[in-house]
Amino acid sequence: MAAAAAAAAASGPRAKAPAAGAGAVAVEETEDEETAAALAMSAARGRPELEAQSEDSGGGGDGGDGDGDEDEDEEEDLGCSSAEEDDDDDDEEKENEAEIQRLEEQLSINAFDYNCHVDLIKLLRQEGELIKLRRARQKMSELFPLTEEIWLDWLKDEIKIASDGSDREKVYELFERAVKDYICPEIWLEYAQYSIGGIGQEGGIEKVRSIFERALTAVGLHVTKGAAMWEAYREFENAILKTTQPAPGSVPTPEQQQALAMQLERIHTLFRRQLGIPLLDMEATYAEYEEWSDDPIPEAVTQSYKKALQQMEKCKPYEEALLVAETPKLAEYQAYIDFELKAGDPARIQLVFERALAENCLVPDLWARYNQYLDRQLKMKDLVLSAHDRAVRNCPWTVGLWNRYLLAMERHGVDHQIVSDNFEKALNAGFIQATDYVEIWQAYLDYLRRRVDFKQDSSKELEELRAAFARALEYLKQEVEERFSESGDPSCTIMQNWARVEARLCNNMQKARELWDSIMTKGNAKYANMWLEYYNLERAHGDTQHCRKALHRAVQCTSDYPEHVCEVLLTLERIEGTLEDWDSAVQKTENRLARVNEQRVKVAAEKEAALAQQEEEKTEQRKRARAEKRAFKKMKKSKAGDKRKADEDEDDEWGDEEEEQPSKRPRAGSSLPLAGEEEYSGMEMGLFGRSASTEVDPPSKQKEKAAAIKKEMPKVFHDSNKDNITVFVSNLPYSLGEPEVKLRPLFEACGEVTEIRPIFSNRGDFRGYCYVEFKEEKAALQALGLDRKTVDGRPMFVSPCVDKNKNPDFKVFRYSTALEKHKLFISGLPFSCTKEELEDICKVHGSVRDLRLVTNRAGKPKGLAYVEYENEAQASQAVLKMDGMTIKENVIKVAISNPPQRKLPDRPEAGRAAGALVPRQVYGARGKGRTQLSLLPRALQRPNNPGPKTENGTLQSPPGPSSTPPEAPKMSNADFAKMLLKK
């Protein structure tokens, strides 16, 4: 009775097992356990509806005096509406069934599709398919650790249908599996509350206390959530205390007094233990203890409480950082871990690691750091192996985690069959590099080699090791080479290790020589280090004859360092060889080195000839470029001279042309002249009195040409008041025949286009940019999304229409220039790499949100790319696995996107802000041209601001506000003559 009362007081609504009702009877009478569970679930789900129906029918009976006809009409309306609802439900049910079938087929193809598992479980739970739901959850839990939400849903579903003791035991087993995946306070609290429901069974109270103690060990140190577990434990003990107290007015027996004292001591102990741990809201717990306890709090408890408060103050900055940080909070957790490692409390270190992993379960480096700490510090078998198992289930693609797992199992004496099974799981984990398979095979072979007792001539372990070596070579040749087009082991390290084992540990040089022969036939005979490795093995465990034979073959085959091999051969013959051996070695080495030197001279001559040819081609290209430039300048000067004379007769037209210039100019370096550029050049030459060409058309012809050009070319105006409904389109191909016809279909997809105004030069050539005017501002904003769209092989630039004369600082750049932890910057890509190929490589490490190949203005790839992932964890994983990867013989570099800050050039406007206008003459008469040489004779040059002379030259003036020297008076010809006569 006491136990039952305690259960009712402590557990509350959670601890009450749901009444089975009619469903329970069906469960008892059904032989199939899964079918029984499904019926019980259906009964539990249908019970509230039945109660609601009974209430409605009861209400109708009490109020049955109403109009019968109205009741019949209402019943007909309800029947029609219910029929429609049934039809809708049937359609939805069919759609869900089709989706469930599709998800199941997809999982049969790829069982490691995490999102597909989640969607299937969600749909099956919605449909109430308990049997399929159990199977789906079971399959997912075998492949991945489940999240807290999935576990809680699963546990609550099983709790609803648990009716008898055997069902409760299955729920207990499910809880045990749940608490092993991650340390989750909510799951532990649910576990403890559920266990209270079985308090009436034999040993129920002790079982509840055991679960609470385990929960406190797991999450009792959790700074923000641990207090809830302590309070639940105290509430349970307080409920037991109430059942232990005697009835009012009765005299307690000695046994009751002893039980009461023990129960009070349990609660005192819980308070004292909690107050010694830094937890959130400790002050309230201390005040509660003062109020509850009849005796004053001991001094030792108070001191422990104060010490915990101080520790809490040290932890508070890290907890506050976690509260304000965005998921997954990896950097904040790393700082917290470093703090706890310095403090050195193993329990707190373990807890903060577990908290970090619960939110960063896909970060292999974090798992590796945690496992390394457990391996080196705690060394507790169950804890260490559990952490390693969870690591490889979360990050199965990381070969380093599997290697550490194999070492941990060997270190803690795990059964050989279990180690072998886990190795097989590693082979099926789906590594992304061929070298990963070589690494895991090497780790497993090392484990098998350590199991062998080589003092025996033959043993089961030795045969297993040899079979594993043979299987490894076959696996790399077939499975890995077929998938990656390479074995991942070009230097045959596994075969070399096998040969060393046979030679040194098994004294089987014949097998070792066979293995080395196979190694050399796989393309390694040209490397000197491979031959010397074989020679050293023969030197240590073979005989001189095989050593000499190996070196003679090495002299003939080695191509990288033949001198070194020749030197080793001569050294061998000098120590152990006869005269004939020495003469043979000298002759072979001399002949070989002579051939090598001839070949090197030939290769060097070919390289030199190729370089000379390249230099000649570059010289020819420079000559042609200079000739073309001179011809272009000559043509430009000729046209400029013609237009200058035509403009002298048509001053009014010059002013009109100046008004027609668009506010935006094409990019610098364009080979096409700007509109009005010829007139500008002509004006410059007229100012300085230089004639561009001696052949000048008569003024009448020039006038006719200018009039014809102006008649053909329409004037393009832009109304700045329509900037909000206009976009500026640039970087278009100059060869675009009819820009308006080509561009209109593209932009009409964004909205109604009022006008497209392409810009042409005075010669009628398209200048590569235009204005697109829309009817609505919304369409113009949507058109900005066409930026970088390819038009005739070039990326089209679309930007807002802004007058840069009014807004000189305006720049349009779509992409962030700050640190983006979820975005990668990839360099070194081959130019032939397509977006689809790169996306296939990147999506192995996570969900790719966006991928952009960087191109130049002509649309040609630059070997750079930006890849945006869903979160930082996926991006960090991709950096670890992709950095240094080879793609089409190019080694790429991968890093988190963090563009360097651009250095802004000094702006001359800063000086103008003070009102000091800079005259054009500071750059010389022709502006800031290619040369800044002054053409004034030295005899006529005078320093602008000569200072006082010192022994070494002009004295530097002190820093201060500079004053502009007065302008020298202009000199006449007579003044020049007098000055020259004085010299």
Side-chain angles (χ1 to χ4, degrees):
M1 292 295 292
S11 62
R14 286 192 184 202
K16 294 180 181 178
V25 178
V27 171
E28 293 174 1
E29 294 177 354
T30 307
E31 295 179 358
D32 187 357
E33 183 179 351
E34 293 183 343
T35 307
L39 291 173
M41 172 68 99
S42 302
R45 287 174 177 261
R47 197 173 302 117
E49 299 174 1
L50 293 173
E51 292 176 0
Q53 291 175 7
S54 63
E55 290 176 2
D56 293 341
S57 61
D62 293 339
D65 296 333
D67 194 330
D69 296 335
E70 292 179 1
D71 292 343
E72 291 178 0
D73 294 338
E74 290 178 1
E75 288 176 2
E76 291 178 0
D77 294 338
L78 289 173
C80 295
S81 61
S82 61
E84 294 175 359
E85 291 176 0
D86 291 342
D87 292 340
D88 295 338
D89 292 341
D90 292 341
D91 294 339
E92 183 179 358
E93 186 176 351
K94 290 179 181 178
E95 292 178 0
N96 290 342
E97 289 178 357
E99 181 66 13
I100 289 171
Q101 186 176 0
R102 186 190 68 81
L103 292 173
E104 289 176 345
E105 292 176 355
Q106 187 171 344
L107 286 175
S108 64
I109 299 172
N110 180 17
F112 289 91
D113 191 336
Y114 185 90
N115 293 328
C116 191
H117 280 285
V118 174
D119 295 340
L120 179 61
I121 289 173
K122 184 177 179 181
L123 271 178
L124 290 174
R125 190 166 190 263
Q126 180 180 341
E127 291 296 310
E129 297 281 351
L130 183 62
I131 298 175
K132 292 184 178 180
L133 180 61
R134 273 180 174 170
R135 292 173 184 168
R137 285 167 169 167
Q138 183 65 30
K139 286 183 180 179
M140 185 177 182
S141 66
E142 291 173 358
L143 297 174
F144 306 101
L146 303 186
T147 62
E148 179 183 335
E149 293 78 10
I150 295 177
W151 271 121
L152 287 175
D153 288 341
W154 191 356
L155 291 166
K156 289 176 182 177
D157 290 343
E158 295 294 343
I159 288 172
K160 287 179 181 178
I161 61 174
S163 58
D164 54 11
S166 61
D167 290 340
R168 292 189 65 85
E169 288 300 324
K170 291 180 180 178
V171 175
Y172 283 135
E173 293 175 3
L174 201 60
F175 269 114
E176 290 295 332
R177 290 173 56 190
V179 297
K180 288 179 182 178
D181 275 356
Y182 300 107
I183 290 185
C184 299
E186 288 79 4
I187 294 179
W188 274 109
L189 190 61
E190 188 76 24
Y191 190 9
Q193 294 283 6
Y194 179 73
S195 66
I196 295 175
I199 199 173
Q201 299 176 358
E202 183 178 357
I205 294 179
E206 294 304 321
K207 186 170 185 176
V208 173
R209 284 174 177 158
S210 173
I211 293 173
F212 267 117
E213 288 295 336
R214 289 174 56 200
L216 292 180
T217 303
V219 298
L221 299 179
H222 198 297
V223 175
T224 57
K225 298 181 179 180
M229 186 59 65
W230 288 97
E231 291 172 2
Y233 196 2
R234 287 204 316 273
E235 288 178 5
F236 169 72
E237 294 295 351
N238 275 317
I240 299 295
L241 177 65
K242 292 179 181 179
T243 62
T244 309
Q245 291 176 346
S250 62
V251 178
T253 62
E255 291 79 6
Q256 290 178 337
Q257 291 179 353
Q258 184 180 1
L260 183 60
M262 290 176 61
Q263 190 62 25
L264 287 172
E265 184 60 29
R266 286 195 185 96
I267 300 175
H268 276 289
T269 303
L270 285 175
F271 269 116
R272 294 167 186 170
R273 289 167 61 188
Q274 181 180 355
L275 291 174
I277 299 172
L279 298 172
L280 199 64
D281 201 14
M282 293 182 63
E283 297 84 354
T285 305
Y286 187 81
E288 182 183 351
Y289 188 27
E290 283 184 321
E291 182 181 354
W292 181 84
S293 178
D294 296 333
D295 302 326
I297 298 177
E299 183 63 24
V301 176
T302 303
Q303 292 297 327
S304 177
Y305 163 71
K306 291 180 180 179
K307 186 177 179 181
L309 271 180
Q310 294 175 357
Q311 180 70 16
M312 180 62 202
E313 290 300 319
K314 295 178 182 178
C315 298
K316 188 174 289 185
Y318 299 98
E319 293 291 343
E320 291 175 350
L322 290 174
L323 287 175
V324 299
E326 296 181 358
T327 305
K329 314 174 186 178
L330 181 59
E332 290 76 13
Y333 274 119
Q334 292 280 18
Y336 204 169
I337 290 170
D338 293 337
F339 164 74
E340 292 293 355
L341 285 172
K342 290 180 181 178
D345 187 344
R348 296 191 61 80
I349 293 171
Q350 180 194 355
L351 180 63
V352 72
F353 263 118
E354 292 287 352
R355 290 176 61 185
L357 289 167
E359 298 190 50
N360 298 273
C361 59
L362 300 179
V363 181
D365 286 347
L366 189 59
W367 281 109
R369 189 180 182 189
Y370 182 36
N371 291 336
Q372 185 182 60
Y373 171 78
L374 296 177
D375 287 335
R376 295 180 179 179
Q377 301 297 328
L378 296 187
K379 301 179 181 180
M380 299 171 61
K381 178 179 178 180
D382 293 338
L383 181 61
V384 169
L385 295 180
S386 172
H388 280 287
D389 180 67
R390 290 185 291 137
V392 297
R393 290 173 66 201
N394 277 284
C395 306
W397 62 85
T398 308
V399 68
L401 297 177
W402 285 103
N403 289 342
R404 293 186 181 92
Y405 192 14
L406 293 178
L407 289 171
M409 287 188 288
E410 182 183 4
R411 195 177 293 120
H412 291 281
V414 177
D415 184 70
H416 172 62
Q417 187 59 46
I418 297 177
V419 178
S420 299
D421 292 343
N422 279 286
F423 167 71
E424 296 297 333
K425 290 180 181 179
L427 290 181
N428 297 323
F431 299 130
I432 60 175
Q433 290 181 351
T435 53
D436 292 344
Y437 287 95
V438 178
E439 192 173 342
I440 191 63
W441 267 111
Q442 192 59 63
Y444 183 59
L445 292 169
D446 292 345
Y447 158 73
L448 293 178
R449 196 265 310 162
R450 289 189 286 265
R451 296 182 68 243
V452 179
D453 182 8
F454 289 99
K455 294 179 181 180
Q456 302 177 9
D457 293 338
S458 179
S459 63
K460 179 182 177 182
E461 290 79 9
L462 178 58
E463 295 303 321
E464 184 178 3
L465 175 61
R466 285 173 172 163
F469 269 117
R471 184 191 168 201
L473 298 178
E474 190 69 21
Y475 186 90
L476 294 178
K477 181 179 179 180
Q478 293 185 356
E479 301 291 336
V480 178
E481 219 170 295
E482 182 180 350
R483 178 180 173 190
F484 298 98
S485 301
E486 59 167 330
S487 66
D489 190 15
S491 57
C492 302
T493 55
I494 291 180
M495 205 177 297
Q496 288 186 49
N497 291 333
W498 190 3
R500 294 187 188 102
V501 169
E502 293 291 350
R504 296 177 184 176
L505 301 177
C506 300
N507 298 321
N508 188 355
M509 275 304 300
Q510 182 62 33
K511 181 64 177 178
R513 293 183 185 114
E514 292 175 2
L515 292 170
W516 270 105
D517 284 340
S518 180
I519 291 171
M520 292 306 179
T521 58
K522 294 184 181 297
N524 294 299
K526 59 185 177 180
Y527 300 117
N529 66 319
M530 301 296 288
W531 283 108
L532 294 178
E533 186 70 30
Y534 176 37
Y535 166 75
N536 290 330
L537 191 67
E538 283 284 359
R539 191 74 174 157
H541 306 284
D543 51 50
T544 305
Q545 180 181 356
H546 284 90
C547 290
R548 182 178 290 112
K549 184 179 179 181
L551 289 178
H552 277 278
R553 291 176 60 193
V555 168
Q556 298 299 324
C557 299
T558 303
S559 60
D560 55 350
Y561 299 106
E563 295 88 351
H564 189 34
V565 175
C566 292
E567 183 181 353
V568 173
L569 175 59
L570 294 175
T571 302
L572 173 68
E573 300 300 353
R574 180 176 285 113
I575 295 174
E576 300 186 13
T578 63
L579 179 59
E580 290 79 5
D581 294 334
W582 173 262
D583 291 340
S584 175
V586 170
Q587 183 179 358
K588 283 193 175 183
T589 54
E590 287 178 352
N591 292 339
R592 176 59 178 165
L593 292 179
R595 290 196 303 270
V596 169
N597 289 331
E598 288 178 4
Q599 189 174 3
R600 288 175 178 172
V601 170
K602 183 178 179 181
V603 171
E606 291 176 354
K607 286 185 178 180
E608 188 175 352
L611 290 174
Q613 185 177 358
Q614 290 179 3
E615 192 63 31
E616 290 178 3
E617 292 176 355
K618 289 181 181 178
T619 304
E620 285 295 324
Q621 290 177 0
R622 286 194 290 268
K623 288 181 180 179
R624 286 196 298 269
R626 284 196 293 267
E628 291 174 0
K629 195 170 185 180
R630 284 195 296 268
F632 177 73
K633 285 184 176 180
K634 186 175 180 181
M635 180 182 66
K636 187 176 178 181
K637 289 180 180 179
S638 176
K639 290 183 179 181
D642 295 343
K643 291 182 181 286
R644 177 175 57 81
K645 291 192 175 183
D647 293 337
E648 288 176 356
D649 299 332
E650 298 181 0
D651 290 336
D652 293 337
E653 290 187 13
W654 168 261
D656 295 341
E657 278 292 321
E658 197 168 35
E659 291 178 1
E660 292 174 12
Q661 303 305 313
S663 61
K664 298 198 177 185
R665 301 171 66 85
R667 61 187 177 89
S670 173
S671 60
L672 293 174
L674 302 178
E677 192 175 21
E678 294 86 351
E679 292 86 347
Y680 181 75
S681 302
M683 184 177 67
E684 286 280 339
M685 297 201 179
L687 288 173
F688 299 103
R690 299 187 183 216
S691 178
S693 176
T694 56
E695 297 179 2
V696 181
D697 292 336
S700 60
K701 289 187 177 181
Q702 295 175 4
K703 196 169 184 179
E704 290 175 2
K705 288 182 179 180
I709 291 174
K710 292 185 178 296
K711 187 175 181 180
E712 292 174 3
M713 297 305 303
K715 297 180 181 180
V716 178
F717 296 98
H718 172 64
D719 187 359
S720 59
N721 295 326
K722 297 182 178 180
D723 283 348
N724 61 328
I725 59 173
T726 307
V727 295
F728 179 70
V729 184
S730 59
N731 201 46
L732 294 168
Y734 297 123
S735 59
L736 206 62
E738 297 180 350
E740 185 174 0
V741 176
K742 183 74 174 179
L743 297 177
R744 184 172 290 275
L746 293 176
F747 287 97
E748 282 184 343
C750 303
E752 184 178 350
V753 177
T754 304
E755 183 182 12
I756 297 179
R757 300 189 295 276
I759 308 300
F760 295 90
S761 67
N762 288 340
R763 293 182 301 177
D765 297 326
F766 179 49
R767 293 175 60 182
Y769 60 93
C770 66
Y771 296 94
V772 180
E773 182 181 327
F774 292 90
K775 187 175 182 180
E776 298 178 353
E777 183 177 358
K778 181 181 178 181
L781 295 175
Q782 188 175 352
L784 297 177
L786 297 176
D787 187 36
R788 300 304 197 277
K789 184 175 180 61
T790 304
V791 176
D792 284 4
R794 289 176 67 89
M796 172 180 67
F797 299 162
V798 183
S799 58
C801 191
V802 177
D803 189 354
K804 289 192 176 180
N805 294 327
K806 298 179 182 179
N807 301 278
D809 297 330
F810 178 78
K811 284 187 177 292
V812 177
F813 190 70
R814 292 173 54 191
Y815 308 103
S816 172
T817 58
L819 172 65
E820 295 180 278
K821 295 183 179 180
H822 65 289
K823 184 182 290 186
L824 303 185
F825 172 68
I826 304 177
S827 59
L829 289 167
F831 294 150
S832 60
C833 182
T834 63
K835 181 178 180 181
E836 291 75 17
E837 292 173 347
L838 184 58
E839 186 173 3
D840 290 340
I841 297 172
C842 295
K843 69 183 182 181
V844 176
H845 311 291
S847 178
V848 177
R849 183 183 298 173
D850 184 36
L851 188 148
R852 174 169 60 95
L853 291 177
V854 181
T855 61
N856 58 16
R857 284 179 174 266
K860 304 296 183 182
K862 299 173 70 174
L864 308 174
Y866 289 91
V867 182
E868 183 179 353
Y869 281 94
E870 288 289 344
N871 51 53
E872 299 174 18
Q874 296 177 358
S876 62
Q877 173 63 26
V879 170
L880 292 173
K881 303 305 294 185
M882 293 177 61
D883 188 30
M885 179 186 291
T886 301
I887 298 179
K888 296 183 180 179
E889 299 182 357
N890 284 35
V891 179
I892 65 172
K893 294 182 179 180
V894 184
I896 297 297
S897 176
N898 189 15
Q901 296 296 327
R902 293 190 176 184
K903 295 182 179 179
L904 298 176
D906 296 335
R907 296 175 56 186
E909 286 79 359
R912 296 177 185 172
L917 298 177
V918 182
R920 184 181 180 188
Q921 281 74 10
V922 296
Y923 296 127
R926 299 181 62 188
K928 191 173 182 181
R930 178 175 297 179
T931 177
Q932 299 299 315
L933 298 177
S934 175
L935 301 181
L936 186 67
R938 289 196 187 97
L940 302 182
Q941 290 182 358
R942 291 289 185 273
N944 290 335
N945 190 17
K949 293 289 183 179
T950 63
E951 184 177 357
N952 295 324
T954 305
L955 180 66
Q956 297 293 333
S957 59
S962 60
S963 60
T964 305
E967 186 177 357
K970 296 182 179 179
M971 293 188 294
S972 63
N973 291 338
D975 295 331
F976 274 109
K978 290 178 182 179
M979 185 170 62
L980 292 173
L981 289 174
K982 287 180 182 180
K983 290 182 67 72

